Amino acid sequence: MRLAVCILLAAAVAAASTAQDEPHSYRNFKLIRINPENDATLSYLKSLYEEESPYTLDFWQPPSHVGGVVDLTVAPSDASSLIRDLSARGIHYIVAIHDLQKAIESEKSLTSWAHPPKGFGYERYNSVDEIYNELKRLKRERPSLITLIDIGQTHENRTMLVVKIGGGQSLDEDAPSVWLDAGIHAREWIAPATAMFIVRELVEGYDVDPKLQAMIDHVPFYILPVMNPDGYEYSRTSDRMWRKNRRPAECQHKDWHTVCCRGVDLNRNFDWYWAVSFLPYFSASGSSSDSCHDTYHGPAAFSEPESMAVRDFLEAYPPKAFISLHSYSQMWLIPFGHRRRSYPADYSSALRPLALRATKALEAVHGTKYQVGTGADLMYEASGGSHDWAKGALKVPFSYLIELRPRNTLFGNGFLLPEREIAPVGNETWAAIRVVADEVFSQFAQPSLRGKAGKKPETPLSLHKLGLRGTSTEQTTAASRSEPTVTETDAPTTVSPSTTVQPETATVTIQPRTVVVVESTVTPVTLATVTCEDYGSYCRLWKVFNLCDRRAVHKLCALTCNPQCRV
Ligand code: 0X9
Ligand code: ZN
């Protein structure tokens, strides 16, 4: 499989250099979605992902564990043989997208096809230039609220532009702040769009929401809406499914071929267990040393101008919260992601309770449900990630990675989220991020404001006069206890030093740990009202994709979904 990818990418590099204006066509490529139900299916999928495979595949969600949804795209020429192979092995799958090119074209809203818009739009997927021009326009309109900071240049000499909102025009390394970046992975377009949506929420909210104003005055936001501008532009003009940055090609000799591939996965390039894999076998999702792979970690930690620029800025102005926007799968990820069952010391006391409160606020907006946990526990182990580095090395108190919409059930379009979802995603994500910012405000800004006001620490703060919600650690913990959708069982907690790879890192290892995420809100139906019949194979498929918790599915598929029917 990897060789196929290498040759394919080498061909893509060559094609791109000869005919730059012809974007890669995904006509009739399929998105296949599989929920591996057993170890045999899982190892088969892993062999397709990690070893040579006869098919041209691109894994959008790599195989990790039984029950973890796998999304892969297949070229039209290989689709029927792959599907025959899956069926022969008894593997349940769905074709979530029949024609990827059509889905790419449907990302744009109908109105924008009919009337191609000029310039920037908050409910559109914009170019880097459009985004930067909008930031410059905002700066001209609100010079005292907004500061633009050029933090570095990319391989292709694009500027990495951070917008600072609030906190005055000078940079203060001691002021508590919130960092938000997006677009570290080029093809995850919803992330930069959401970051820009949040920029607008902050700027417009500042004038009309006194609580927000008080918060931003003391806790500025630093927002990097496009962390990988070269890759993002490449995904707009040449290959919609590009993920990495655009580091110039590195060539390797393989058998009788020389293959040259561009790009580094920036979310494997941070100095947190960089290039380390804890799995007993090669795991490409973890971090790959193959420059042709989508998770290539680069020649050294921080080898890339983009990750280096972010590191240098954050080391100079360390924030109290670090949030990195990605897509997709609706997960709120907490460090550490490099290894299963590895958690920072304040995972259960601070990071997770705040994540639960944030996702609860998110759900309250449109009913969107998120899973909460570490990337390694919920997805796959991956080293060199930015949010792990922010927590583990930089010691940022609250560090998260958010995998935005959609979820990977049934017909979600993966990375190709239609533009009409930008506003709902923006609104709900802002509600969650505001919870995090409020927490930073009450933990890190309020105490010094109290000091300045010359009041005793116990005195209820003047911010309460402004109607600001006090969020003490105690409240946070209580909130997590009453969170109804998550149950957690911890065995006795042991504190062990980390491995020798990273200095001074105490890692709390909780073994064994079972996190049961219950997403169902279905009211149990009593047997008396249930006819234990259903639509057979459809229902089994829906069950495989965890859709029994949908009220309609639960009703139509009583025999399959309702445990009472199986007694
Ligand atoms: O693989 C990544 O970098 C992230 N997923 S994405 O589909 N947006 O590329 C997830 C990283 C989270 N960490 C772990 N899974 N360990
Ligand atoms: Zn990503």
Side-chain angles (χ1 to χ4, degrees):
M1 143 68 187
R2 275 188 295 136
L3 188 61
V5 170
C6 294
I7 293 167
L8 187 78
L9 290 181
V13 168
S17 55
T18 50
Q20 280 198 340
D21 45 0
E22 275 189 34
H24 183 299
S25 169
Y26 283 96
R27 184 64 65 208
N28 292 324
F29 277 62
K30 320 266 176 236
L31 173 62
I32 309 278
R33 185 158 290 157
I34 302 163
N35 189 340
E37 292 170 88
N38 51 46
D39 287 333
T41 303
L42 188 66
S43 15
Y44 171 66
L45 293 172
K46 281 191 171 172
S47 74
L48 288 182
Y49 182 53
E50 286 159 8
E51 293 154 27
E52 284 187 20
S53 115
Y55 313 116
T56 305
L57 307 175
D58 175 11
F59 280 80
W60 287 10
Q61 298 279 351
S64 58
H65 55 273
V66 170
V69 172
V70 174
D71 276 355
L72 57 92
T73 67
V74 58
S77 51
D78 292 340
S80 43
S81 24
L82 174 71
I83 283 171
R84 254 199 313 277
D85 195 358
L86 294 175
S87 307
R89 290 166 190 270
I91 298 175
H92 290 110
Y93 65 90
I94 54 169
V95 182
I97 300 179
H98 286 269
D99 181 357
L100 217 52
Q101 190 59 33
K102 218 175 180 172
I104 290 171
E105 285 152 15
S106 319
E107 264 187 311
K108 292 214 164 299
S109 62
L110 287 176
T111 46
S112 59
W113 278 114
H115 309 284
K118 283 205 186 78
F120 179 88
Y122 279 97
E123 295 184 36
R124 283 187 41 218
Y125 293 127
N126 303 284
S127 68
V128 171
D129 281 349
E130 286 165 342
I131 291 171
Y132 288 1
N133 285 338
E134 173 63 7
L135 293 178
K136 287 172 192 161
R137 188 189 68 78
L138 290 171
K139 166 76 188 159
R140 280 194 301 274
E141 273 193 1
R142 308 298 305 267
S144 58
L145 180 63
I146 291 172
T147 310
L148 297 183
I149 310 154
D150 171 352
I151 63 163
Q153 303 290 120
T154 64
H155 285 290
E156 294 176 351
N157 291 322
R158 288 191 177 84
T159 299
M160 297 181 63
L161 198 58
V162 166
V163 54
K164 179 187 183 219
I165 304 171
Q169 280 162 290
S170 58
L171 303 188
D172 176 358
E173 66 262 34
D174 296 323
S177 63
V178 172
W179 168 271
L180 178 70
D181 68 70
I184 190 171
H185 288 143
R187 62 191 175 184
E188 299 164 11
W189 287 5
I190 186 61
T194 304
M196 287 306 289
F197 205 88
I198 288 170
V199 167
R200 186 176 65 174
E201 291 295 319
L202 288 163
V203 173
E204 291 184 356
Y206 189 83
D207 297 326
V208 295
D209 180 345
K211 294 183 210 168
L212 183 67
Q213 188 179 108
M215 191 252 281
I216 312 175
D217 279 344
H218 298 100
V219 178
F221 274 68
Y222 290 96
I223 301 181
L224 173 60
V226 198
M227 174 160 171
N228 173 13
D230 295 349
Y232 182 75
E233 274 308 300
Y234 189 73
S235 74
R236 290 176 55 84
T237 55
S238 304
D239 181 351
R240 174 66 188 86
M241 299 328 303
W242 188 258
R243 166 182 168 98
K244 301 186 280 183
N245 75 351
R246 295 294 293 160
R247 180 189 179 84
E250 279 175 13
C251 296
Q252 9 171 343
H253 304 286
K254 281 193 175 173
D255 307 326
W256 292 280
H257 311 275
T258 298
V259 284
C260 306
C261 296
R262 291 190 73 150
V264 165
D265 182 348
L266 295 172
N267 207 33
R268 301 292 181 277
N269 192 239
F270 280 70
D271 197 5
W272 184 254
Y273 293 91
W274 177 82
V276 175
S277 175
F278 290 94
L279 298 172
Y281 48 83
F282 167 82
S283 165
S285 62
S287 179
S288 173
S289 54
D290 180 347
S291 63
C292 291
H293 204 281
D294 253 356
T295 59
Y296 175 46
H297 48 52
F302 293 121
S303 57
E304 301 311 292
E306 297 89 351
S307 45
M308 223 186 286
V310 168
R311 174 202 61 192
D312 291 347
F313 183 80
L314 291 176
E315 282 180 348
Y317 304 101
K320 296 298 181 202
F322 171 99
I323 300 172
S324 189
L325 297 180
H326 289 243
S327 72
Y328 59 95
S329 60
Q330 290 175 207
M331 288 180 185
W332 189 286
L333 300 181
I334 307 170
F336 293 116
H338 66 282
R339 189 169 200 183
R340 287 200 208 287
R341 290 191 289 274
S342 174
Y343 313 93
D346 56 352
Y347 179 86
S348 299
S349 60
L351 283 156
R352 192 160 186 277
L354 183 59
L356 291 173
R357 281 205 289 123
T359 49
K360 208 169 172 182
L362 187 153
E363 186 179 343
V365 179
H366 295 295
T368 310
K369 289 177 191 297
Y370 269 62
Q371 285 176 284
V372 174
T374 75
D377 288 351
L378 294 178
M379 306 170 102
Y380 42 81
E381 294 182 342
S383 52
S386 66
H387 80 305
D388 279 355
W389 171 82
K391 179 66 189 174
L394 198 60
K395 312 286 183 213
V396 174
F398 297 108
S399 179
Y400 300 113
L401 182 157
I402 309 178
E403 296 279 8
L404 298 165
R405 289 196 205 178
R407 258 186 84 189
N408 38 17
T409 50
L410 226 48
F411 299 116
N413 268 10
F415 299 115
L416 307 173
L417 195 70
E419 282 180 333
R420 65 174 174 278
E421 291 201 46
I422 294 174
V425 171
N427 282 319
E428 68 192 15
T429 310
W430 166 233
I433 289 177
R434 187 162 177 182
V435 170
V436 176
D438 280 342
E439 184 64 26
V440 169
F441 180 67
S442 52
Q443 268 195 38
F444 301 99
Q446 279 189 341
S448 63
L449 290 175
R450 272 191 201 114
K452 278 180 198 154
K455 290 182 182 168
K456 283 189 242 154
E458 312 75 57
T459 311
L461 184 64
S462 56
L463 295 165
H464 287 287
K465 279 191 230 148
L466 294 164
L468 286 166
R469 193 157 38 109
T471 44
S472 68
T473 315
E474 212 172 52
Q475 283 168 307
T476 304
T477 313
S480 78
R481 270 193 231 111
S482 63
E483 170 60 52
T485 58
V486 177
T487 46
E488 198 178 280
T489 25
D490 283 356
T493 302
T494 52
V495 180
S496 62
S498 70
T499 72
T500 51
V501 183
Q502 292 288 332
E504 296 176 22
T505 311
T507 303
V508 177
T509 308
I510 304 168
Q511 278 182 327
R513 181 190 172 90
T514 325
V515 179
V516 185
V517 180
V518 185
E519 293 203 28
S520 169
T521 50
V522 170
T523 328
V525 187
T526 57
L527 199 53
T529 65
V530 175
T531 315
C532 287
E533 288 172 358
D534 69 23
Y535 286 82
S537 57
Y538 283 108
C539 293
R540 285 193 289 283
L541 190 63
W542 290 337
K543 184 169 187 224
V544 168
F545 284 93
N546 298 324
L547 290 173
C548 279
D549 62 352
R550 300 276 168 95
R551 195 175 292 275
V553 174
H554 194 86
K555 268 192 179 161
L556 289 172
C557 299
L559 191 58
T560 306
C561 289
N562 190 340
Q564 291 169 304
C565 289
R566 272 174 261 130
V567 285

